[in-house]
Amino acid sequence: LAGRTALITGAARGIGEAVAEVLARDGARLILLDVPSAQADLEALAARLDATALPLDITSPDAAERIADAVPALDTLVHNAGITRDRTLAKMPADRWATVLDVNLASVLTTTDALLKSGTLSHGGRIVATASIAGLAGNAGQTNYAASKAGIAGLTRALAPKALAEHGVTVNAVAPGFIETKMTAAVPLFIREAGRRMNSLGQGGLPVDVAETTAWFAHPASGAVNGQVVRVCGQSLLGA
Ligand SMILES: NC(=O)c1ccc[n+]([C@@H]2O[C@H](COP(=O)([O-])OP(=O)(O)OC[C@H]3O[C@@H](n4cnc5c(N)ncnc54)[C@H](O)[C@@H]3O)[C@@H](O)[C@H]2O)c1
């Protein structure tokens, strides 16, 4: 990835932080984006990886413009920022539904569209989005999250041929299973333990597992891989 520039959203911790470490290891120049409240962690990581920190909420109406200002030519865009606001559907307040759909799906759609149209994403570029096995299989108590991640899988498949034909950019997604991060640390103990064990490896995955697949999509040699949603889940029972 030497000579290539990558922007990672939600980079301050968890999977985003691991993606930053792996892409930096492979030679990319990085712009690391996360919410302003995570600025201290973001700047510490940026200093460690000789990267640029961009404190910005990806749902801001001017997010794409701010990204284009910070990086006029982008080779790889990793949409990793994501949140959960779990509730069973009958008890789901409208704002929990809307917030998850906004962060996980709408922001990906609007920033991708704007950055392709403005030509910020270079020819030969890569977009890597983050789905989830919950979006492929559904998951009790996560209808909002699963809908947003199913949307990412659909967006990836629908946009890929058009983005390649019109902009020379590939669009792919990772669909992680249970990965050990702060997001899954918040899951109640019994469900968390089941999530860890319900796969062929009998353990939770690590952020680096997802990061290595993201780096493979980002690689210049992966140009023939387009419109794919790759599960990184240790062969999880969910959706098997
Ligand atoms: N951990 C898992 O098991 C798992 C499984 C499947 C999919 N995923 C997905 O992987 C991605 C990363 O998850 P994680 O486990 O590292 O979560 P995490 O909560 O540890 O990290 C998410 C990061 O995204 C940032 N973020 C949230 N909202 C944002 C916004 N509006 N603008 C900018 N940044 C924002 C957060 O500040 C945080 O740094 C998410 O899209 C998540 O849905 C995670």
Side-chain angles (χ1 to χ4, degrees), residues 3-234:
R4 291 174 79 89
T5 301
L7 183 137
I8 304 153
T9 71
R13 68 181 202 205
I15 293 171
E17 179 182 8
V19 170
E21 281 165 352
V22 168
L23 297 190
R25 176 203 69 192
D26 292 353
R29 199 179 74 77
L30 301 180
I31 293 94
L32 307 177
L33 182 153
D34 210 300
V35 287
S37 58
Q39 188 164 352
D41 287 345
L42 193 66
E43 281 177 356
L45 182 67
R48 188 152 59 79
L49 301 180
D50 202 12
T52 303
L54 181 58
L56 172 66
D57 187 323
I58 198 65
T59 62
S60 307
D62 63 347
E65 222 173 293
R66 299 263 312 269
I67 291 171
D69 285 348
V71 49
L74 191 59
D75 299 297
T76 301
L77 171 60
V78 182
H79 289 293
N80 164 79
I83 57 167
T84 50
R85 296 286 184 273
D86 298 351
R87 278 281 195 289
T88 54
L89 190 55
K91 293 183 187 155
M92 178 81 68
D95 64 317
R96 285 175 94 89
W97 179 275
T99 311
V100 167
L101 269 293
D102 262 7
V103 175
N104 295 6
L105 181 60
S107 75
V108 174
L109 194 59
T110 52
T111 53
T112 299
D113 191 45
L115 293 171
L116 281 172
K117 282 187 180 143
S118 65
T120 306
L121 271 154
S122 310
H123 191 90
R126 306 273 182 263
I127 295 170
V128 186
T130 307
S132 164
I133 57 167
L136 306 181
N139 202 18
Q142 288 201 308
T143 313
N144 53 352
Y145 183 77
S148 72
K149 296 302 189 178
I152 289 293
L155 182 157
T156 298
R157 294 183 183 117
L159 181 62
K162 193 172 149 68
L164 187 62
E166 292 177 9
H167 305 278
V169 171
T170 64
V171 187
N172 293 287
V174 284
F178 183 100
I179 307 293
E180 304 283 359
T181 67
K182 280 199 175 149
M183 180 179 274
T184 43
V187 172
L189 180 64
F190 178 76
I191 301 171
R192 189 177 350 133
E193 209 41 50
R196 279 195 182 110
R197 293 183 193 198
M198 280 168 47
N199 62 74
S200 296
L201 301 178
Q203 61 183 30
L206 296 180
V208 68
D209 300 332
V210 182
E212 294 289 1
T213 301
T214 302
W216 167 66
F217 279 139
H219 198 278
S222 299
V225 183
N226 197 24
Q228 301 303 308
V229 180
V230 172
R231 295 170 60 121
V232 183
C233 64

